[in-house]
Amino acid sequence: MTERRRDAMPATHAAQVGPPPVLLLAGEAKSAGFAREFVRQYVKHNFPDASEDHVETVVLVACELVTNSIRYGTRPGDSLRIELDTDDTRTRVEVHDPVRRRPHPRPASDHRDRGRGLIILDALCPGSWGVGDRPFGKIVWAEVKTS
């Protein structure tokens, strides 16, 4: 019988190269900055031919989704998850949070400095965003098409 070393990696295991597609974040304001950097690195690594405009649009969309999740989809101590997928036609951003309450557009107002997140999504991802349920909360997703 051949003895297998415990510290040897199986032959089928490949080390991950580049940033992972998922990031767990605390449900607090500073997480939006972590999300921006994570998204920028992920897209640039996995879609190296992406235009700077595409990268920055995905970063903005992700930041809006994460900020909305922090404000309306988490309570103190909760966490959220951002998941990315990209190819040469689009980049998909999903934000998972523990609250079932779905986002809804607010009427436009010059008197508020908040409540424009879904208006921004409509402008940047027309017809390409939505909300879905998950066992413990919801997923808000958006797809940014490549130019």
Side-chain angles (χ1 to χ4, degrees):
M1 181 189 282
T2 318
E3 186 177 316
R4 182 178 152 136
R5 288 182 36 205
R6 288 182 179 245
D7 61 343
M9 272 190 172
T12 59
H13 178 72
Q16 180 171 334
V17 177
V22 176
L23 179 66
L24 297 176
L25 296 164
E28 51 193 47
K30 67 181 178 181
S31 291
F34 296 131
R36 284 190 296 272
E37 188 56 32
F38 166 72
V39 169
R40 188 174 284 113
Q41 288 179 14
Y42 180 87
V43 174
K44 285 183 174 187
H45 182 271
N46 289 286
F47 183 21
D49 294 333
S51 69
E52 193 62 28
D53 186 50
H54 178 79
V55 173
E56 292 307 313
T57 299
V58 174
V59 168
L60 177 58
V61 166
C63 188
E64 287 298 325
L65 293 178
V66 167
T67 299
N68 282 349
S69 180
I70 292 166
R71 285 186 179 153
Y72 308 112
T74 61
R75 296 181 194 99
D78 284 345
S79 61
L80 58 109
R81 172 178 142 161
I82 184 169
E83 190 166 329
L84 303 172
D85 183 54
T86 192
D87 60 33
D88 61 349
T89 63
R90 55 87 183 124
T91 300
R92 182 179 176 96
V93 179
E94 293 182 1
V95 175
H96 305 226
D97 68 47
V99 174
R100 285 275 175 140
R101 184 179 57 233
R102 291 172 171 256
H104 58 279
R106 292 184 173 185
S109 171
D110 293 331
H111 304 290
R112 276 194 320 262
D113 62 346
R114 293 175 23 170
R116 294 184 182 97
L118 297 181
I119 294 169
I120 291 170
L121 281 182
D122 280 335
L124 298 176
C125 308
S128 296
W129 70 272
V131 183
D133 291 328
R134 61 183 208 123
F136 298 102
K138 69 178 172 301
I139 299 167
V140 182
W141 62 271
E143 290 189 350
V144 178
K145 307 283 190 235
T146 59
S147 315

